[in-house]
Amino acid sequence: MIMAIALYFTLFWGYEALRVLTSPTYGLEDVWRSQYVFGLGSYFKLQPMGLMKLAAFFGALKLAVALTCAIHIVDRLRHVAGGKANTDVLEAGLIMVVAISVAAAGPAAWTQNSDLLREQVLHLLLAAVAVALCLVERNYSRRAVSPVLASTLPRAEVLSPLR
């Protein structure tokens, strides 16, 4: 499931970032996908050049997220071949997903655009599920790696009100 979420962000956010960064107006011609840029730009009173810089900034951040997710997919494939997967890179990418989604959800909530807000909430939910699964996996791997350490620790008494 973690790998599927990483693949989602790699494909969709990578495509979005490449679309924005290869466009002469940094994706501002697509009004639907750039509403959060216009919303944030109006909040900060940005001029047209400032809007283009903000759109390029978000495009670069989305490309960074896509690359970190792609690195994690390669790391997972290496794990299947016998290595050890490290989820720290994915968690850093997911932190950026949360930051971008929250920044994009603000203008959607201000303008009461439920469709755009729904899209950002989907990204937030996927990031939350991936982080939760990473935490479960990390906890499981710690228990599986150190059973000797766990057996050497003294057991604490369980407090019971019926004693």
Side-chain angles (χ1 to χ4, degrees):
M1 188 68 159
I2 296 171
M3 198 163 159
I5 293 172
L7 185 64
Y8 170 82
F9 284 120
T10 300
L11 293 177
F12 289 102
W13 280 37
Y15 174 73
E16 174 81 17
L18 290 177
R19 184 188 63 78
V20 166
L21 294 176
T22 58
S23 170
T25 58
Y26 295 105
L28 294 177
E29 71 275 359
D30 186 5
V31 178
W32 171 254
R33 298 212 179 266
S34 61
Q35 283 185 356
Y36 66 93
V37 174
F38 289 120
L40 286 173
S42 68
Y43 182 72
F44 291 114
K45 296 178 178 44
L46 294 178
Q47 300 299 320
M49 189 56 84
L51 286 174
M52 290 178 66
K53 288 179 182 179
L54 184 64
F57 175 72
F58 275 112
L61 285 179
K62 286 187 176 189
L63 184 63
V65 168
L67 289 176
T68 57
C69 290
I71 289 169
H72 180 72
I73 290 171
V74 170
D75 196 31
R76 284 279 173 180
L77 293 175
R78 187 178 59 89
H79 174 68
V80 171
K84 184 173 184 326
N86 187 3
T87 60
D88 293 340
V89 174
L90 179 67
E91 289 172 4
L94 292 174
I95 288 171
M96 287 194 298
V97 167
V98 169
I100 293 169
S101 296
V102 167
W110 293 325
T111 60
Q112 298 176 355
N113 188 344
S114 62
D115 294 332
L116 190 60
L117 188 62
R118 186 180 315 123
E119 183 178 338
Q120 301 309 320
V121 168
L122 173 69
H123 295 156
L124 284 171
L125 287 176
L126 284 175
V129 167
V131 167
L133 290 173
C134 286
L135 290 173
V136 168
E137 181 184 41
R138 182 178 292 155
N139 191 19
Y140 177 74
S141 67
R142 283 185 186 163
R143 287 185 183 174
V145 168
S146 61
V148 175
L149 181 63
S151 65
T152 60
L153 294 175
R155 299 192 115 191
E157 289 186 29
V158 178
L159 296 176
S160 173
L162 302 175
R163 282 201 253 188

